[in-house]
Structure formats: C-alpha cells, structure tokens
Amino acid sequence: MSKTVKYVGLDVHKNTVAVAVAEDGKRGEVREHGEITNTPTALTKLLGKLGGLGSSSTFCYEAGPCGYGIQRQVAAADHSCVVVAPSLIPSRPGDRIKTDRRDAVKLARLHRAGELTPVWIPDSAHEAMRDLVRARLAAVRSLRHARQQLSGFLLRHGHHYHRPAWTQMHRRWLSGLRFAEDAHHIVLEDCIATVDAAKERRDRLTVQIQKRLADWTLAPVVEALQALRGMAMVAAATIVAELGHISRFSKGEQLMSYLGLVPSEDSSGKRRRQGGITKAGNGAARRMLVEAAWSYRFPARISREQLLRQEQLAAPIRAIAWKAQERLCLQYRKLSRAGKPITTVTTAIARQLAGFVWAIAHEVSMPKA
C-alpha cells in the first residue's frame, strides 16, 4: 500500500507560522491548519500531528530573514522540506487580498502542483562563512559612506586634494587643514576617526576570512578561482560563499542566468526586443564579477601576483585562466572600438567571465551538495 503525501505550506514570520495542508491528488482538499508560534517546540508538535501511518508530509516555505532553521529541524525529523524563491512564486494579477493564512494555502497548493522553485540550502558551516563575507561587504559599504561624508564636508568648505586620495600623504594633508570655526575641527577629527574605524573593521574581517578558508570545504574552489585575472582572495571567497556548489549548474549559461547577467527580453510575434540585464539572482556575486571584468581592459598578461596564486594549481585550471585572458581582453577591445558604452562592455565581459568561473569550478574535485 503506497503512502499518501501531505503538502504543507508554511508562511513564516518572526513570532508566528501560518500552516496550510494540501491533500494528495489533483483535486485534493486544501485547508488551513492554523497558526503556531515560531519556536522549535511548537514545530515539533506540528510534525507529530501531521505525521501518521500511511502518510508522509513534505513542507515548503519562502526564503526570508528567518533563515534555514525550520528546514534543518524538519529535515532532521525525516521529512522533506524545501525553501522556495519568493520572486519566482506564481501570482494572479487580480488577487488583491494578502494574509498569512492565504499565503500558506497558496504555498501548499503550488507545492503540490510542483510550481515552486527551491533555492540551494547551505549547511551551517557554509552559512557561517557567507555571513562573514557579507559582514565584510557591509564594512566596505560603511567605509565608502564614511569617506563620502568626509569628502562632502571638505568640499563644502573649499578644501580640495588634487592627488589620489586615502593615501598616507592624503592623511597628512588632512591633519594640516585649518578652519575659521573650532567646531569644524571637531567635525573633521570625528570624520577621520569614523573612516579609520571603518577601515580597521574591513581589514579585520578580511583577515578572519583568510584564516577560516583552510577549514572550509569549498576552499579548493576559492583557490582555483584565484587563477583568473581580477579574482583575488576576497572576490573568489565572496563568489563561492554566495553561490555555494557551482557544480550544481549543468551549463555555464545557467550560471549566467542565475546571476542576472543575461539580457532581458520583451518579444511578441515577429518583434524581438532585448533590454538591459535581468539583475536576477545573487547581486553580491554579480558585482564581484563586474569588478573583476574591469581588469580585462588591459592586454593579456600574467602578473607576478597572479603567477604566485597559480603556482599550486593544476595545469587545466591555469589553461582555462589563460584562455579567459586571451578571449576577454580581445573582446573588451573589440566592443570598445565598436563604440559600446563602457558599462555595457564590462557587463558583457562579466557575463563571459561567469562561464570561465563555471568551467574552473567543474575542474575542482568536490562532492555535490
């Protein structure tokens, strides 16, 4: 006798979880089950109520700020649980009523129909590394904001530094500035202290990422990606932390699409119209690829730093990295000569660079997720 399947939709919030159950079969009943508190104890009771002889349950909920704790608890209880992408959930244009109970029913129904798109779920160690990388990205944003505040303050008072900023010479120049009001000196010192604190925070987190790479299961992929031009430790660690097991993509085009680096399209009949990139998927990894793409505006060559990063890598990985340089540097000049905007050129290079990232990741022997 085969087991029946119950499809359970969870609308998860900080304090509560709305629950709905869809019975097996195309015309099976979809009902509200109620609401529970968002605690491990309440979830355990729910699992006990829904489980039973002759039936099994499969759960789903949207990816959000509450993380993967529910998924891990449900999976530990030998139930299936997927976390779905909120942006890819089908919706009816005329539906103007949204409640937690309706959302749970909708998730249960769509889960039964197989119309939900699951996201890749990292393990706890990978999630910790991703949080560390994201903390550094936040520190970089804070540093940029602090520097902009200081530059804006100086600009308002007519002080201009006509050489490269944020160097030791620039710091000495700041210490020699004079203002008519004493309060302005206090503001200057506060802005400088904020910049220094943000820079120390960024550097401290960079060191922590470097220290923890050795114990990370995906460290070989990070090392391999550093063979590429413009892909130092921080960029490679960010891409791997955000994407996880790149080997789960069967083709490089899938990775490009996942990163939102493919053109948007609005075509109908004989009319075909393409626009800017979709910007779907992971924004942090996409930005890292775009930043790395800028380095391909120079002629193809292997710098000393890149040579040191490649010394311990396998020959096929080094060959892919050199092939990327030859193709992308040539493509950059070709698109530039065609009069394309520099941002368009760099984005196109970043899209092709994603393909080489995929190729190198598949050369590294790693178990799939």
Side-chain angles (χ1 to χ4, degrees), residues 4-16:
T4 60
V5 181
K6 294 180 180 178
Y7 298 87
V8 184
L10 306 176
D11 190 54
V12 180
H13 296 276
K14 179 177 67 174
N15 298 319
T16 61

Side-chain angles (χ1 to χ4, degrees), residues 120 126 213 216-223 240-241 244-246 366-367:
W120 179 78
H126 186 105
L213 273 180
W216 191 21
T217 56
L218 292 179
V221 183
V222 176
E223 294 176 0
V240 176
H245 289 266
I246 302 176
M366 293 293 299

Side-chain angles (χ1 to χ4, degrees), residues 25-207:
K26 184 177 180 180
R27 299 186 182 277
E29 179 188 7
V30 183
R31 67 181 187 276
E32 299 174 8
H33 189 274
E35 192 174 79
I36 64 172
T37 57
N38 191 355
T39 61
T41 302
L43 183 59
T44 300
K45 291 181 179 178
L46 175 67
L47 295 176
K49 290 180 180 179
L50 294 178
L53 294 175
S55 67
S56 62
S57 300
T58 173
F59 295 74
C60 72
Y61 66 95
E62 297 180 36
C66 294
Y68 306 102
I70 291 178
Q71 191 278 337
R72 289 174 182 144
Q73 183 178 352
V74 173
D78 293 330
H79 293 283
S80 171
C81 183
V82 295
V83 183
V84 302
S87 60
L88 299 179
I89 296 177
S91 60
R92 298 175 180 174
D95 193 355
R96 294 292 185 269
I97 301 177
K98 184 182 184 302
T99 65
D100 294 347
R101 291 180 299 176
R102 280 175 172 249
D103 287 345
V105 169
K106 179 181 177 180
L107 285 172
R109 182 182 294 110
L110 292 174
H111 187 33
R112 182 178 64 185
E115 296 183 5
L116 297 176
T117 303
V119 301
W120 179 78
I121 300 174
D123 57 27
S124 57
H126 186 105
E127 189 176 13
M129 177 60 77
R130 189 167 66 182
D131 288 339
L132 185 60
V133 166
R134 289 179 177 179
R136 186 192 177 278
L137 291 176
V140 170
R141 289 193 295 268
S142 298
L143 176 59
R144 182 169 61 247
H145 181 65
R147 285 175 171 177
Q148 288 171 345
Q149 281 189 318
L150 176 55
S151 298
F153 168 74
L154 296 176
L155 182 62
R156 289 196 304 272
H157 295 281
H159 293 288
H160 307 277
Y161 189 72
H162 300 288
R163 283 173 287 181
W166 316 117
T167 61
Q168 188 65 34
M169 292 298 296
H170 181 240
R171 181 65 180 82
R172 293 172 183 172
W173 175 80
L174 290 174
S175 64
L177 295 178
R178 296 292 179 266
F179 298 91
E181 300 292 338
D182 293 341
H184 290 157
H185 289 281
I186 297 175
V187 174
L188 175 64
E189 292 303 322
D190 182 74
C191 288
I192 293 174
T194 303
V195 170
D196 291 341
K199 184 176 182 298
E200 290 174 3
R201 178 191 174 198
R202 181 202 63 185
D203 295 342
R204 184 169 60 251
L205 290 170
T206 302
V207 171

Side-chain angles (χ1 to χ4, degrees), residues 264-268 271-275:
S264 58
E265 186 169 348
D266 181 14
S267 300
S268 179
R271 176 181 62 84
R272 184 170 184 265
R273 180 182 299 168
Q274 288 186 314

